Amino acid sequence: MGKFTVLNHPLIQHKLTIIRRKDTSTNEFRQIVGEIAGLMVYEMTRDLPLENVEIETPIGKTTQKQLAGKKPVIVPILRAGLGMVDGVLQMIPSARVGHIGMYRDEETLKPHEYFFKMPPDIEERECIIVDPMLATGGSANMAIEALKKRGAKNIRLAVLVAAPEGVRKVQEENPDVDIYAAAEDEKLMDNGYIYPGLGDAGDRLFGTK
Ligand code: URA
């Protein structure tokens, strides 16, 4: 089964409390989502492989380390995932960015893919899917399947707030994918919101409500 890790660094917890507050402005919400995403990805990438590289400092030759292999790809699920991209890029400026667009069918409530654009060679890249809320797990599983269908082999999922139901669903359907969250909340409510959560992450990021 995929690992589920809550990255409960004090700075992450503090920032998450600010964005949970209903009075937090769009401006502050957006900025802090980015900050949390950056801190999360810093913790998540502790195990990225390194390789030796010969360099020359102003003083002399030396062998040092650099990240090995192709650049990782950050994959925001549209639209709320976009709010996490800049923060991640501050930590990994050379990362590529792929996009997955999905909408939820009003009748079946099932997610449908309408947009998919990735850099080449995703089978050789570490793929980090970002989406602020892991609620039912439907969109996350669909994004994971969409990447696997195009050959991706190393996929991680980063969310700010996870519902236990969503974590279980992803672990059941995609046991090879590790999940990272800033917090695991109490439950998923019947209306699809996470309790206590932070409300609609997309609306709060983009000021659409
Ligand atoms: N998506 C959101 O934006 N918020 C929730 O609480 C659940 C899903």
Side-chain angles (χ1 to χ4, degrees), residues 5 14 36 40 48 67 71-72 103 112 119 125-126 156:
T5 309
H14 180 84
I36 298 174
M40 287 182 69
L48 280 189
L67 289 174
K71 309 281 184 267
Y103 69 90
H112 287 272
R125 298 179 192 274
E126 188 69 47
R156 301 170 194 217

Side-chain angles (χ1 to χ4, degrees), residues 3-205:
K3 269 188 299 171
F4 172 51
T5 309
V6 177
L7 298 168
N8 55 1
H9 188 290
L11 289 176
I12 293 181
Q13 291 188 57
H14 180 84
K15 289 172 191 291
L16 189 59
T17 300
I18 298 174
I19 59 169
R20 284 184 191 276
R21 289 180 193 273
K22 65 176 187 205
D23 296 330
T24 296
S25 68
T26 299
N27 184 7
E28 200 177 7
F29 189 93
R30 191 180 288 152
Q31 160 148 2
I32 295 177
V33 166
E35 290 173 8
I36 298 174
L39 290 167
M40 287 182 69
V41 91
Y42 174 77
E43 295 272 16
M44 286 171 65
T45 48
R46 282 179 180 279
D47 60 347
L48 280 189
L50 292 169
E51 63 188 7
N52 286 333
V53 58
E54 313 271 323
I55 61 159
E56 216 172 326
T57 74
I59 312 300
K61 291 195 170 145
T62 174
T63 303
Q64 297 294 332
K65 303 281 183 197
Q66 68 180 12
L67 289 174
K70 296 229 181 247
K71 309 281 184 267
V73 51
I74 314 306
V75 184
I77 301 180
L78 302 177
R79 112 188 119 135
L82 289 175
M84 297 172 72
V85 173
D86 285 352
V88 175
L89 287 177
Q90 289 205 351
M91 290 294 144
I92 321 176
S94 58
R96 306 305 192 233
V97 182
H99 293 88
I100 299 183
M102 276 177 305
Y103 69 90
R104 201 179 345 182
D105 186 297
E106 300 277 310
E107 275 172 22
T108 64
L109 297 184
K110 291 223 160 76
H112 287 272
E113 179 186 313
Y114 67 86
F115 187 76
F116 186 91
K117 186 80 184 168
M118 291 298 137
D121 311 320
I122 54 169
E123 66 282 359
E124 293 172 48
R125 298 179 192 274
E126 188 69 47
C127 299
I128 304 177
I129 299 175
V130 294
D131 197 7
M133 310 302 275
L134 176 57
T136 61
S139 323
N141 275 331
M142 191 155 175
I144 294 166
E145 297 304 338
L147 283 169
K148 285 185 177 172
K149 208 162 73 186
R150 276 82 165 198
K153 294 194 173 66
N154 295 304
I155 304 174
R156 301 170 194 217
L157 172 65
V159 302
L160 301 188
V161 180
E165 294 85 346
V167 173
R168 233 176 291 128
K169 194 94 194 291
V170 174
Q171 285 179 325
E172 275 165 21
E173 291 185 24
N174 289 288
D176 54 320
V177 173
D178 289 340
I179 307 167
Y180 299 82
E184 183 181 28
D185 272 11
E186 215 173 297
K187 61 175 179 189
L188 182 65
M189 299 194 303
D190 291 341
N191 61 7
Y193 281 95
I194 297 175
Y195 179 83
L198 47 75
D200 187 304
D203 280 341
R204 296 199 65 188
L205 273 166

